[in-house]
């Protein structure tokens, strides 16, 4: 049956929604209370026998659009849409239906529509209005439940209830229900594995990652031997995904939904499966309630529910007891890319910032919609939320003429209640907040406690000082220079995320000038130095066996896979971004890696046959970007006259420079995939890293701050090395003693448990962990420790 014949407008229901809007706005105690209630009604909602639609449309008032020129647009494909195809051209039937309005809200209700499910693609929709010249303008739904063709295309009607019906982790959520019916509150896990979905598996999708965990679950349940590739993913209580929201699209290039041949009641649409590459943080706010279609193998948001269920039902190895794994979602509401201006109305934004656009947090409607987007996203089944760039949530105070941090909004984020499988709960919250960053003295002046101290809950967490951004543990004196921060961790670290390897720190590491004072004891090549700095046994031992907080590891770092600023959508500034990233070639790509046929195939096709060819081009590019003040035509002219002639395109131009930049981003995205590193994993290293994680999981009390009688210091005299010692006392009387060689030359022969540290004297110490490189026959006594070596001893009372 055609869309025209089956779609029936329900003006009575739409009018009722508009009347409810009128009542809520007039009767609510505050405007924000009203907006919070109304936000629940925005987007598309499947009801009994019909679908309701709600839109916030202040732009209609701006343009003084009359009611008769505003319609709900419905689009139904005349053939089946295959969301797994790279491209297809289909005819869509289009119907415009009347709406009901109250002030800046528009409502509609329709019966007879096709609703999308895991098995079927539903009808598509948007709001449209007609200007006095007869031109049509589309208003997209920022709260859409499914966006198969991205945040800049019409949304798909989706049955969210069916997505959750019968989810495999229903028992997990029902077990959280409290006796008094209050919301269950999640506390912190013991540790976290941070994952970038597109580079985590060869498939690069949430479904592919889910299959990885399902395979691990089967191997554990059957008590099978663990391979290094298995060990990478195990020993963690929680998995944190880098943002899975829709991101920016190509600035110059094909759209994923491209309409041609408009006719009365029909339109031809060229559909392209979204294929951008992005590290996840270039969001446009629109579509935050659903999943980036680039990450969906099937095009169905159900994949995120499936992954949550696999983690929540993850088994322990027979004979052991381990809690199910938790899912943490990384959300980006602190800013929008400038492309967001094309996805949302202008009232969402408060003005430009260094990333793109500030959001208008003080606008009660915007505030409520952002919180509703968060609620709907976390309702996929997440146990925790990591808030990106919390220092960016600011508002302009005209009285003081300054930007102020919106800590009240951060509290509101933490107060949002979720409901999954009939259970109401509040997730655990992490805030990345380095204020006064980006102020120049932020590294010195940031306390990393601003959010923790302003929130009412005592289990709010922040990224700690060894986790935030610019940490480079492969530069000599790093550990001594950070000792004052480590001392802070001893007394405040219980509510910090700890560890030095994450998506920010590894990226910053690849941008360091190799001519600085690099710790060459870590390896013979720059690649080896970088890999070992961020996958360092002594650092892991320090983080997991000594320091407070919740340790977090980054999968790419643990796999010794490459990583960087991955974003192929840029047109205007793409060449500049690549010029800034060019130095990573020196850190992450050697001649052999470049020569592998599957690597850097696009750049090779453009004429950069060898790494040396590309390296020479990259020596020129950053310098020319700077001296020409990013004049692409002038950069191209100077490259064309270089002697001897540069490899690459036969003739450089604005267009070819952009093509090279795009090729670099796409090639690096493929090169960073963890699957390439799996054959090179060292079983001794992965076995140790899993052991140190399990050591921490068996002693959750190590998360607490140091108490009276605990000890942390470095061995004096320094004598050209930094060796940390830590002694901690557990609530059951167990002592954990750690000695880690962080950098520098070898120690003299010494007995670690005879250093005269108060509380260390006596007998009964047993070796619990030794880093790779220390022989299996060592169980105690004198030893020479070298860079990246460490030992953990334990002693129980009696």
């Amino acid at each position: 049956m055609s869309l025209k014949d089956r779609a029936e407008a329900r003006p009575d229901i739409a009018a009722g929604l508009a009347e409810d809007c009128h009542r809520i706005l007039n009767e609510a105690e505050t405007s924000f209370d009203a907006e919070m209630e109304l936000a629940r009604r925005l987007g598309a909602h499947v009801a009994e026998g019909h679908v309701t639609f709600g839109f916030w449309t202040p732009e209609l008032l701006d343009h003084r659009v009359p009611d008769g020129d505003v319609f709900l647009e419905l689009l139904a494909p005349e053939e089946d849409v295959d969301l797994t195809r790279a491209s297809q051209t289909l005819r869509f039937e289009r119907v415009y239906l009347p709406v009901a309005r109250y002030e800046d809200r528009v409502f509609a209700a329709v019966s007879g529509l096709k609703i999308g499910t895991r098995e079927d693609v539903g009808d598509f929709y948007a709001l449209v209005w007609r200007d006095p010249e007869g031109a049509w303008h589309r208003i997209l739904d920022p709260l859409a439940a499914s966006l198969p063709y991205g945040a800049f295309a019409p949304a798909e009607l989706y049955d969210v209830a069916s997505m959750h019906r019968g989810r495999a982790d229903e028992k997990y959520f029902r077990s959280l229900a409290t006796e008094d019916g209050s919301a269950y509150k999640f506390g912190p896990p013991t540790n976290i594995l941070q994952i970038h979905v597109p580079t985590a598996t060869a498939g690069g999708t949430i479904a592919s990652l889910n299959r990885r965990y399902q395979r691990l679950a089967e191997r554990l349940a059957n008590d099978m031997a663990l391979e290094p590739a298995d060990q990478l993913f195990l020993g963690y209580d929680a998995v944190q995904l880098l943002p899975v929201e829709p991101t920016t699209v190509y600035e110059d290039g094909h759209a994923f939904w491209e309409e041609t041949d408009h006719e009365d009641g029909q339109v031809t649409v060229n559909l392209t499966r979204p294929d951008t590459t992005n590290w996840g943080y270039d969001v446009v706010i629109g579509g935050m309630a659903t999943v980036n279609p680039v990450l969906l193998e099937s095009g169905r948001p159900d994949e995120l529910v499936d992954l949550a269920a696999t983690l929540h039902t993850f088994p322990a190895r027979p004979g052991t007891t381990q809690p199910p794994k938790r899912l943490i979602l990384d959300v980006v509401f602190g800013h929008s890319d400038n492309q967001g201006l094309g996805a949302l109305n202008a009232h969402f934004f408060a003005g430009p910032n260094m990333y793109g656009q500030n959001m208008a947090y003080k606008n009660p409607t915007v505030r409520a919609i952002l919180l509703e987007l968060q609620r709907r996203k976390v309702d996929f089944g997440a146990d925790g939320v990591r808030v990106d760039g919390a220092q960016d949530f600011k508002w302009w105070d005209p009285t003081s003429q300054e930007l102020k941090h919106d800590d009240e909004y951060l509290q509101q984020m933490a107060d949002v209640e979720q409901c999954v499988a009939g259970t109401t709960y509040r997730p655990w919250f992490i805030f990345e907040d380095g204020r006064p960053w980006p102020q120049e003295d932020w590294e010195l002046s940031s306390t990393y406690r601003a959010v923790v101290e302003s929130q009412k809950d005592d289990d709010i967490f922040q990224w700690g000082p060894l986790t935030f951004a610019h940490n480079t543990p492969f530069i000599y004196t790093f550990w001594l220079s950070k000792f004052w921060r480590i001392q802070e961790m001893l007394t405040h670290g219980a509510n910090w995320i700890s560890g030095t390897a994450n998506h920010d720190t590894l990226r910053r590491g690849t941008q360091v000038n190799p001519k600085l004072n690099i710790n060459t004891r870590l390896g013979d090549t720059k690649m080896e130095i970088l890999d070992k700095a961020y996958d360092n046994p002594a650092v892991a031992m320090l983080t997991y066996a000594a320091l407070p907080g919740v340790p977090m590891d980054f999968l790419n770092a643990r796999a010794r896979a490459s990583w960087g600023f991955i974003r192929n959508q840029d047109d205007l500034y793409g060449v500049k971004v690549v010029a800034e990233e060019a130095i990573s070639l020196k850190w992450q790509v050697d001649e052999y890696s470049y020569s592998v046929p599957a690597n850097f195939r696009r750049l090779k096709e453009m004429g950069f046959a060898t790494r040396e060819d590309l390296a020479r081009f990259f020596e020129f590019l950053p310098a020319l970007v700077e001296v020409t003040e990013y004049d692409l035509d002038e950069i191209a002219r100077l490259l064309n006259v270089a002697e001897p002639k540069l490899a690459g395109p036969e003739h450089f131009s604005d267009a070819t420079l952009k093509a090279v930049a795009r090729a670099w981003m796409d090639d690096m995205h493929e090169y960073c995939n963890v699957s390439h590193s799996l054959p090179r994993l060292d079983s001794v290293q992965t076995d140790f890293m899993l052991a140190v994680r399990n050591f921490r999981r068996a002693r959750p009390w190590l998360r607490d701050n140091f108490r009276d009688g605990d000890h942390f210091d470095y061995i004096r005299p320094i004598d050209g090395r930094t060796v940390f010692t830590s002694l901690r006392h557990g609530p059951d009387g167990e002592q954990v003693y750690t000695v880690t060689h962080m950098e520098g030359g070898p120690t003299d022969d010494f007995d670690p448990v005879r250093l005269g540290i108060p509380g260390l004297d006596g007998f009964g110490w047993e070796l619990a962990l030794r880093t790779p490189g220390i022989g299996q026959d060592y169980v105690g006594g004198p030893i020479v420790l070298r860079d990246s070596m460490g030992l953990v001893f334990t002693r129980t009372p009696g």
Side-chain angles (χ1 to χ4, degrees):
M1 185 183 298
S2 71
L3 177 63
K4 182 179 179 180
D5 291 334
R6 58 183 170 83
E8 179 184 355
R10 300 292 300 275
D12 54 330
I13 299 175
L17 291 169
E19 186 59 35
D20 284 345
C21 177
H22 180 186
R23 174 185 55 79
I24 292 167
L25 287 171
N26 288 340
E27 296 179 3
E29 186 172 340
T30 68
S31 60
F32 180 63
D33 290 337
E35 297 299 348
M36 286 293 288
E37 185 172 351
L38 289 171
R40 291 286 186 106
R41 303 173 185 227
L42 298 180
H45 298 271
V46 178
E48 187 67 34
H50 64 273
V51 179
T52 63
F53 300 85
F55 296 86
W56 178 49
T57 57
E59 63 266 54
L60 296 182
L61 300 184
D62 296 339
H63 293 283
R64 300 175 184 246
V65 181
D67 291 359
D69 284 323
V70 183
F71 301 90
L72 178 71
E73 178 188 29
L74 296 170
L75 297 141
E78 296 182 349
E79 303 174 50
D80 290 339
V81 178
D82 184 352
L83 299 179
T84 66
R85 283 187 58 178
S87 64
Q88 56 198 307
T89 299
L90 298 177
R91 295 284 290 176
F92 280 72
E93 183 182 359
R94 175 156 55 195
V95 170
Y96 295 138
L97 294 180
V99 299
R101 296 175 65 184
Y102 180 74
E103 298 292 350
D104 56 2
R105 313 302 155 111
V106 174
F107 299 96
V110 185
S111 59
L113 298 180
K114 183 180 180 182
I115 313 301
T117 64
R118 185 189 292 265
E119 293 79 21
D120 297 307
V121 177
D123 293 330
F124 291 79
Y125 71 94
L127 196 70
V128 293
W129 59 277
R130 182 171 47 200
D131 66 24
E133 285 72 41
W136 290 94
H137 305 269
R138 182 176 277 157
I139 297 175
L140 302 170
D141 180 10
L143 293 101
S146 178
L147 291 167
Y149 295 100
F152 296 88
E156 178 199 6
L157 285 173
Y158 208 74
D159 190 347
V160 175
S162 74
M163 182 173 67
H164 290 283
R165 197 174 296 124
R167 54 186 299 158
D169 57 356
E170 183 174 332
K171 183 178 179 182
Y172 167 83
F173 280 104
R174 293 199 181 280
S175 71
L176 305 177
T178 60
E179 291 185 4
D180 62 1
S182 60
Y184 176 85
K185 181 65 177 73
F186 276 101
T190 303
N191 62 346
I192 303 168
L193 177 63
Q194 187 188 44
I195 293 178
H196 177 244
V197 172
T199 60
T201 64
T205 63
I206 294 174
S208 179
L209 181 62
N210 186 37
R211 287 193 293 272
R212 161 66 70 176
Y213 274 104
Q214 288 175 331
R215 176 180 179 273
L216 288 175
E218 291 181 11
R219 294 178 68 81
L220 279 182
N222 294 320
D223 202 21
M224 299 177 68
L226 298 177
E227 300 174 341
D230 300 328
Q231 293 173 314
L232 274 183
F233 292 86
L234 296 175
Y236 296 98
D237 283 352
V239 170
Q240 177 183 311
L241 304 181
L242 268 66
V244 295
E245 289 79 37
T247 61
T248 52
V249 295
Y250 298 119
E251 290 180 348
D252 183 35
H254 66 274
F256 303 137
W257 175 288
E258 197 167 43
E259 298 179 7
T260 62
D261 299 331
H262 293 261
E263 296 178 8
D264 186 29
Q266 284 190 323
V267 60
T268 300
V269 184
N270 297 325
L271 299 173
T272 302
R273 179 178 169 85
D275 59 353
T276 52
T277 59
N278 198 284
W279 65 336
Y281 294 94
D282 301 306
V283 302
V284 295
I285 300 300
M288 294 287 280
T290 189
V291 185
N292 185 353
V294 175
L295 309 181
L296 299 174
E297 182 177 290
S298 63
R300 306 286 74 188
D302 302 68
E303 291 182 22
L304 186 55
V305 171
D306 294 343
L307 176 61
T310 296
L311 295 175
H312 292 155
T313 58
F314 201 80
R317 185 177 282 277
T320 67
T321 57
Q322 293 290 351
K325 294 185 184 297
R326 299 185 192 175
L327 174 64
I328 300 171
L329 294 181
D330 192 342
V331 298
V332 188
F333 287 107
H335 61 271
S336 167
D337 185 273
N338 282 323
Q339 285 192 27
L341 295 169
L344 305 172
N345 70 67
H347 295 259
F348 273 98
F349 306 102
N353 64 21
M354 63 189 298
Y355 301 112
Q357 295 292 321
N358 290 307
M359 307 308 295
Y361 300 107
K362 281 301 180 180
N363 182 319
T365 309
V366 174
R367 200 176 187 89
I369 289 174
L370 294 179
L371 290 171
E372 177 64 9
L373 285 168
Q374 172 192 314
R375 186 189 69 82
R376 295 188 192 186
K377 185 53 164 284
V378 181
D379 264 357
F380 271 87
D383 312 270
V385 178
R386 184 260 184 183
V387 179
D388 180 67
Q391 71 275 343
D392 299 324
F393 292 79
K394 299 174 183 177
W395 58 280
W396 178 254
D397 184 350
T399 303
S400 62
Q401 291 291 295
E402 63 179 341
L403 282 171
K404 291 188 176 180
H405 292 280
D406 199 342
D407 289 322
E408 180 185 5
Y409 180 75
L410 300 183
Q411 181 67 66
Q412 290 169 340
M413 294 183 81
D415 287 341
V416 172
E417 292 186 353
Q418 310 299 143
C419 186
V420 178
T423 298
T424 301
Y425 68 95
R426 288 175 57 211
W428 176 58
F429 262 78
I430 311 167
F431 292 92
E432 179 206 23
D433 192 302
R435 68 182 78 171
W437 189 90
Q439 185 175 304
E440 288 186 359
D441 70 340
W442 68 269
E443 287 188 273
L444 185 66
S445 57
S446 177
T447 66
Y448 302 95
R449 300 197 297 271
V451 183
V452 168
E453 294 173 352
S454 70
Q455 302 296 296
K456 67 183 181 184
D457 294 324
D458 60 7
D459 61 352
I460 294 293
F461 271 61
Q462 284 189 231
W463 273 26
L466 292 187
T467 302
F468 193 85
H470 301 78
N471 284 296
T472 50
F474 52 91
I475 296 179
Y476 274 123
T477 73
F478 171 82
W479 290 103
L480 274 183
S481 70
K482 293 292 184 181
F483 188 70
W484 68 287
R485 286 298 193 187
I486 293 174
Q487 289 178 304
E488 288 182 326
M489 294 183 70
L490 308 182
T491 54
H492 296 94
N495 284 66
W496 276 342
I497 302 300
S498 61
T500 61
N502 58 68
H503 75 279
D504 262 343
T505 56
L506 183 52
R507 177 197 168 205
R508 296 299 182 186
T510 67
Q511 296 175 333
V512 170
N513 188 335
K515 294 181 180 179
L516 294 179
N517 194 18
I518 304 302
N519 182 0
T520 54
R521 289 188 173 90
L522 291 174
D524 297 327
T525 67
K526 294 181 181 67
M527 286 180 65
E528 188 178 0
I529 291 170
L530 189 75
D531 286 344
K532 191 170 182 181
Y534 289 107
D535 184 42
N536 189 293
V539 176
M541 183 174 281
L542 175 73
T543 303
Y544 278 87
L547 296 180
V550 171
M552 181 178 72
D553 297 331
F554 182 38
L555 177 63
N556 291 61
R558 282 289 168 262
R560 300 197 174 188
S562 296
W563 176 248
F565 182 75
I566 303 169
R567 168 182 168 140
N568 71 356
Q569 297 97 309
D570 291 296
D571 180 68
L572 182 60
Y573 291 109
V575 176
K576 185 176 183 180
V577 171
V578 170
E580 294 169 354
E581 292 292 303
I583 198 169
S584 67
L585 182 72
K586 298 181 179 180
W587 284 109
Q588 299 193 101
V589 186
D590 58 17
E591 284 287 355
Y592 173 77
S593 298
Y594 195 89
S595 70
V596 173
N599 293 342
F600 300 97
R601 51 192 177 86
R602 297 171 185 83
L603 288 168
K604 290 172 182 173
E605 289 171 0
M606 297 188 77
F608 300 104
T610 67
R611 180 191 178 281
E612 184 180 359
D613 291 338
L614 184 61
R616 184 164 177 259
F617 171 77
F618 275 167
E619 289 295 333
F620 279 81
L621 185 63
L624 294 180
V625 165
E626 182 176 356
V627 299
T628 66
E629 297 183 343
Y630 196 52
D631 182 331
L632 289 181
D633 289 331
E634 182 64 7
I635 292 171
R637 185 188 70 80
L638 293 171
L639 290 173
N640 285 326
V641 297
E643 291 291 343
K645 181 178 172 55
L646 290 168
E650 184 64 29
H651 180 79
F652 287 101
S653 64
D654 180 311
T656 56
L657 283 173
K658 291 178 179 180
V660 170
R662 169 71 185 273
W664 164 259
M665 286 296 186
D666 286 336
D667 282 344
M668 277 302 292
H669 177 260
E670 292 180 359
Y671 181 69
C672 290
N673 198 287
V674 167
S675 64
H676 304 320
S677 301
L678 299 183
R680 301 194 301 269
L681 291 176
D682 181 352
S683 61
V684 175
Q685 175 80 355
T686 58
D687 186 66
F688 167 77
M689 289 298 191
L690 178 57
V692 80
R693 294 193 292 270
N694 286 333
F695 182 88
R696 178 66 163 240
R697 295 171 83 195
R699 297 165 179 81
W701 59 267
L702 285 169
R703 187 212 122 188
D704 299 333
N705 293 326
F706 274 51
R707 303 182 301 171
D708 291 342
D710 290 345
H711 156 92
F712 192 94
D713 205 349
Y714 55 88
I715 295 178
R716 296 173 173 82
I718 292 175
D719 286 344
R721 64 243 171 176
T722 301
V723 180
F724 290 149
T725 56
S726 167
L727 177 62
R728 302 198 61 183
H729 299 75
D732 60 354
E734 182 187 28
Q735 294 175 288
V736 175
Y737 172 60
T738 306
V739 54
T740 51
H741 189 312
M742 309 308 298
E743 61 181 344
T747 66
D748 297 328
D749 197 34
F750 77 110
D751 189 337
V753 299
R754 299 289 180 263
L755 289 178
I757 295 170
L760 192 64
D761 57 311
F763 298 94
W765 288 107
E766 294 184 1
L767 183 66
L769 293 168
R770 62 173 77 83
T771 55
I774 298 175
Q776 294 292 315
D777 57 339
Y778 178 81
V779 294
I783 190 173
V784 173
L785 291 182
R786 291 176 171 80
D787 196 315
S788 306
M789 287 184 175
L791 300 162
V792 175
F793 297 87
T794 60
R795 182 166 64 180
T796 55

